[in-house]
Amino acid sequence: LWMTLNTVMPRRLWVMTVNALQPSGKMVRQQKYTQKDLMIDPLIVLRCDQRVHRCPPLMDITLHMLNGYLLASKAYLSAHLKETAEQDIRPSQNSMMGLEATEVTREELKNALLAAQDSAAVQILLEICLPMEEEKPVGSNSYSLLKSIAVSSLGKKQSEEEEKEDSLLCNLREVQCLICCHLHQMFIADPNIAKLVHFQGYPCELLALTVAGIPSMHICLDFIPELIAQPELEKQIFAIQLLSYLCIQYALPKSLSVARLAINVMGTLLTVLTQAKRFTFFMPTLPCLVSFCQAFPPLYEDIVSLLIQIGQVCASDVATETRDFDPIITRLQQLKEKPSERARLLKEPACKAAAGESGSTDPNVQLCHCVESTFIDIINMSVGGV
C-alpha cells in the first residue's frame, strides 16, 4: 500500500511517514519535520523508533526514504551553491582570482558535507546491524543442551520463548540483508564512501557480515595497503582483520599480494613496538594468520617464521622469570622442520601446554600461548583440508 501511495504523492507521503515513525514517549518531545528539514538533514530519517530497526517492512521503507533524501540533499546543496554564487558575482566582478578561489572553497565544503552525511548514514546503519542483548546467540553446545532440556521439562512456555527468540533472529537477519543491499548500492555509486567508512572504522564483529553480505567489498583491497600504513595501531589492526575476511571471500592474486604485505608489516612492527603495544597489536591479529593460510597455502612458510619470531621475542622477555618457554619455541621449530611431529601434537589438547599459566596476567605469557594456539589452528586447518 505504501509503495502504491508513493507513486501518487511521494513527497507528502515521505514527510508523513518520517513524522509518524518518530520515537514515542513522555521523555521524547516529538517534532514535526518539513520537506526542507529532511533535505537539509537526511539523517533525520534514521532518528525513528527503535522498533523500526527490527521490522523488515518498515526498515525497507526507511532505507528507500533515506536514499531519496540523500539524493535530494545533494541537489538542494548544489542549487543553493549556484544561487549564492550568482549573488556574489555582482560585487566581485573585478577580482576574478578571488571569485575562482571562493568557488573552489565552496565546492570543497559542499563535497565534504555530503561525504560526512553519507558516511554518518553508513555508520548508523552498521550500528543497527549489531545484535541487541536478547538477540546474541548462546554458545552452540550449551544452546543445544538447554534447548533439549527445555523441550523435555519446561513445556509450552519455554517453547514460546524460543519461538520469540527465533523470530527476533530472523528479523535481525532480514534487516541485515536489507542494509547490506543498500550499502552495496552506495559503495557502487561512490567508492570513496567505502574508503572513508573503513578509514573511520567500525566494530570488528560486523566484518564477517559486511564482507559476506556486501558484494562490492572487494574494492577495499585497493586501499588496504594505505590503511595498514596509517600510524594508528587501531587502524592497522582493523585493516588486517578486514583483509583476513576478504582473503577467504576473494582468493585472488591481488589478495595474495596484500596478504603478503600485511605479513611483512607484522614482522616489522614486531621489532619496533613496545611490550604493551605488541600485546595490543598481535592478540587480535594473530588469528588472522589462520585465514591467510587457509586462503593462500604458499604463505605457510612466511607465517610459520613470523609465529616463531613472535614466540622467541616474548620468551626472551620473560626469560629472567621462573617460567620456562623454551619447550614452546622448540615445539614450533620442530613442527616447521619435521612434519612427522604434527600427528603427536594434534593428539594433545591445544590448551595442555598452557594449563599451568592459563590464569596469568603477564602479556608476554598470554601472547606466547596465543602463538601456540594459532599454530595449532593452522595445523588442524591444513590437516582437515587434506
Side-chain angles (χ1 to χ4, degrees), residues 39-57:
M39 286 195 299
I40 294 175
D41 185 7
L43 300 182
I44 293 174
V45 177
L46 296 175
R47 298 174 196 161
C48 54
D49 195 299
Q50 296 295 316
R51 292 172 291 181
V52 175
H53 300 161
R54 291 300 179 264
C55 180

Side-chain angles (χ1 to χ4, degrees), residues 51-68:
R51 292 172 291 181
V52 175
H53 300 161
R54 291 300 179 264
C55 180
L58 289 179
M59 197 64 202
D60 191 18
I61 292 173
T62 302
L63 292 174
H64 183 79
M65 294 189 298
L66 175 65
N67 183 56

Side-chain angles (χ1 to χ4, degrees), residues 7-53:
T7 61
V8 181
M9 49 175 198
R11 295 184 182 179
R12 184 181 174 190
L13 178 65
W14 290 11
V15 174
M16 292 171 60
T17 305
V18 169
N19 287 321
L21 294 179
Q22 286 189 69
S24 58
K26 296 180 180 179
M27 301 299 295
V28 180
R29 185 178 63 85
Q30 289 191 344
Q31 177 181 350
K32 294 298 181 182
Y33 296 106
T34 63
Q35 178 77 4
K36 187 174 181 179
D37 294 333
L38 295 168
M39 286 195 299
I40 294 175
D41 185 7
L43 300 182
I44 293 174
V45 177
L46 296 175
R47 298 174 196 161
C48 54
D49 195 299
Q50 296 295 316
R51 292 172 291 181
V52 175
H53 300 161

Side-chain angles (χ1 to χ4, degrees), residues 74 110-121 190 193 196 200:
K74 294 176 183 178
K110 183 199 77 170
N111 293 335
L113 176 59
L114 293 176
Q117 279 185 352
D118 289 337
S119 64
D190 187 1
I193 297 176
L196 177 59
Q200 292 172 344

Side-chain angles (χ1 to χ4, degrees), residues 27 30-31 65 96 99 108 131-132 148 207 237 249 253 257 292 321 340 370:
M27 301 299 295
Q30 289 191 344
Q31 177 181 350
M65 294 189 298
M96 294 302 295
L99 180 61
E108 290 176 349
M132 295 182 287
S148 62
L207 284 173
I237 294 171
Q249 189 76 12
S257 63
F292 293 159
E321 301 182 20
S340 59
C370 186

Side-chain angles (χ1 to χ4, degrees), residues 318-332:
V318 293
T320 56
E321 301 182 20
T322 57
R323 304 178 184 88
D324 183 12
F325 281 89
D326 288 339
I328 293 180
I329 306 302
T330 302
R331 280 200 300 275
L332 296 181

Side-chain angles (χ1 to χ4, degrees), residues 20 53 60 88 94 103 141 156 158 186 207-208 241 250 252 256 259 261 274 294 296 307 320 330 336 349:
H53 300 161
D60 191 18
D88 292 344
N94 296 330
E103 289 180 355
N141 294 335
K156 184 177 179 180
Q158 186 68 23
M186 291 185 69
L207 284 173
Q241 290 176 327
Y250 306 101
L252 305 171
L256 173 61
L261 169 66
T274 62
Q294 182 180 350
F296 305 112
L307 288 173
T320 56
T330 302
K336 180 183 178 183

Side-chain angles (χ1 to χ4, degrees), residues 1 86 101 109 149 179 182 205 214 275 280-281 292 349 380:
L1 177 62
E86 290 175 356
L109 290 174
I149 295 174
I179 290 176
H182 182 79
E205 296 86 357
I214 304 176
Q275 177 179 329
T280 302
F281 176 79
F292 293 159
N380 289 330

